[in-house]
Amino acid sequence: KLLDRQIQEQILPDGGHFELSPMYHGLILEGLLDLMNLHSTFQMQPPDAWQDATARMFDWLRVMCHPDGGISFFNDAAFGVAPRLDDLEHYAAGLGFVQRPEGAGSRLLEASGYARLERNGAVVLADVAAIGPDYLPGHAHADSLSFEFSLHGRRVLVNSGTSVYGLGTERLRQRGTAAHNTLRLDGVDSSEVWSGFRVARRARVTVERFDALPECQLQAAHDGYRRICGHPTHRRYWTLGDQGLEVKDVVEGGGHHLVEVFFHFHPSIHLQAVGPNVFVVLCNSGVFALDFVGDDRLRWSVKCGSWHPRFGVSEANVCLSGVYEGPLPTQFLTRLTWPA
């Protein structure tokens, strides 16, 4: 009875686990499959509610994985903790579990607050979610309106990942806004992450638009910065077309502020500056090259960073950081384009 109540509470209508971590989602899904395995061993029929939750969880996880089959890094997430999607699908098939895959494609997961934009080999996975349950925010990051991006099956833009738990500056850094592909104001995190697993004032996100056709478009805003002078709001627009991705950031409010926009690249990606705000993005394997054009109202610089694909692992990468200091309101447009 306890399990039935918790499944109803923790598994959202769109199939997401309410802590909004793809890694922990995979662990919970594996647990449900284990329970169905036990029922099968003793010739018992698993409850219909468990099977329904399992089907919804598989659908959510397919949406939240990159084309390489691995999970996206939102909130606490890393490889090697939960089974991969294909391993879970193989396990479920061995139990005779009949899946009803809807495929991925462009989807808005309304209950959990994530979106997938997919078009001609390009995939954007965007965080337009709350940080998690109000009473259980321990695995939350200050990553509101962040996103990850893959092109032709390769990761290009990545969030930090998670390599440490417990207390300390590195744990706080990995949970902080600057470790994600989003915007920061006055050096303040969008949600106040503190200690190892705590959050104080939290950003509230509103999804304002989602369209899959004719272009993939997503628009959302959050109020996490309204606690600072001028009560700013951050609004972000994503537009994914056949040969490019546009990301427009609008910061409304008043006062004089420091605005920083971060784009973290996968360790396999290298940048070549070809102008004050124009970079060629090169994949190690030579699979693709794309152009990054940053808004000229920002001062762009290339910084050394780190990506954390597993616990205890840190890989060097690069981050493009754009900085603006001045009055609000203001807006910036960033373009990534690639050949057909």
Side-chain angles (χ1 to χ4, degrees):
K1 290 180 180 178
L2 175 63
L3 180 61
D4 289 340
R5 289 199 301 269
Q6 289 303 310
I7 288 176
Q8 184 175 4
E9 179 173 0
Q10 294 190 29
I11 308 306
L12 303 173
D14 61 15
H17 181 251
F18 73 163
E19 286 194 277
L20 306 180
S21 156
M23 179 181 75
Y24 282 104
H25 180 100
L27 288 173
I28 299 297
L29 178 52
E30 182 187 31
L32 278 175
L33 292 174
D34 286 342
L35 290 171
M36 288 194 283
N37 194 358
L38 284 168
H39 276 65
S40 175
T41 299
F42 291 97
Q43 290 78 52
M44 298 169 63
Q45 180 66 23
D48 290 342
W50 297 9
Q51 299 190 66
D52 175 69
T54 300
R56 287 185 283 121
M57 292 187 76
F58 266 116
D59 183 51
W60 189 94
L61 191 56
R62 291 186 189 99
V63 173
M64 294 299 294
C65 280
H66 282 270
D68 62 13
I71 59 171
S72 48
F73 286 0
F74 296 105
N75 295 317
D76 281 341
F79 300 141
V81 177
R84 285 173 53 90
L85 172 61
D86 52 2
D87 291 330
L88 290 168
E89 289 176 330
H90 181 75
Y91 185 13
L95 298 175
F97 178 72
V98 179
Q99 301 183 55
R100 47 179 193 272
E102 299 180 18
S106 295
R107 297 272 299 278
L108 174 63
L109 300 167
E110 293 187 51
S112 55
Y114 290 99
R116 180 187 183 100
L117 308 179
E118 184 169 359
R119 195 177 184 95
N120 288 357
V123 174
V124 171
L125 296 169
D127 182 347
V128 290
I131 62 162
D134 282 339
Y135 61 88
L136 191 61
H139 293 296
H141 288 204
D143 57 1
S144 295
L145 307 191
S146 68
F147 71 103
E148 297 196 323
F149 173 65
S150 281
L151 183 63
H152 302 319
R154 303 297 181 102
R155 296 186 189 222
V156 179
L157 293 173
V158 292
N159 289 318
S160 69
T162 304
S163 68
V164 292
Y165 271 172
L167 306 178
T169 56
E170 181 60 13
R171 170 70 172 156
L172 287 175
R173 189 193 69 80
Q174 291 177 18
R175 297 178 75 201
T177 299
H180 303 84
N181 297 309
T182 188
L183 178 149
R184 184 173 69 175
L185 283 178
D186 295 343
V188 173
D189 289 327
S190 56
S191 293
E192 289 184 299
V193 292
W194 63 283
S195 188
F197 298 89
R198 295 187 178 274
V199 186
R201 290 172 288 187
R202 302 101 191 264
R204 306 292 177 178
V205 180
T206 302
V207 178
E208 299 173 332
R209 179 179 181 181
F210 175 78
D211 293 313
L213 295 171
E215 292 181 309
C216 300
Q217 295 184 320
L218 175 66
Q219 174 184 330
H222 79 80
D223 65 358
Y225 296 122
R226 290 189 61 80
R227 66 183 187 269
I228 65 179
C229 177
H231 310 297
T233 297
H234 176 208
R235 178 170 285 104
R236 174 166 272 188
Y237 304 76
W238 294 263
T239 302
L240 179 62
D242 287 335
Q243 294 173 240
L245 170 66
E246 290 189 351
V247 181
K248 183 171 75 171
D249 289 301
V250 176
V251 188
E252 300 168 343
H256 188 280
H257 295 274
L258 174 67
V259 182
E260 299 168 281
V261 184
F262 302 97
F263 293 95
H264 299 267
F265 290 86
H266 187 272
S268 67
I269 300 296
H270 297 277
L271 302 180
Q272 179 180 328
V274 294
N277 62 330
V278 182
F279 301 83
V280 175
V281 180
L282 303 169
C283 178
N284 272 347
S285 62
V287 171
F288 62 80
L290 60 91
D291 293 326
F292 178 102
V293 182
D295 196 301
D296 57 12
R297 285 167 289 188
L298 296 165
R299 301 189 311 274
W300 291 95
S301 61
V302 179
K303 299 182 178 180
C304 296
S306 58
W307 184 57
H308 309 281
R310 296 174 181 269
F311 278 91
V313 174
S314 177
E315 297 184 15
N317 69 346
V318 294
C319 171
L320 270 175
S321 174
V323 178
Y324 162 87
E325 190 165 3
L328 300 183
T330 189
Q331 65 180 42
F332 313 103
L333 181 64
T334 304
R335 293 186 178 92
L336 291 88
T337 58
W338 49 90

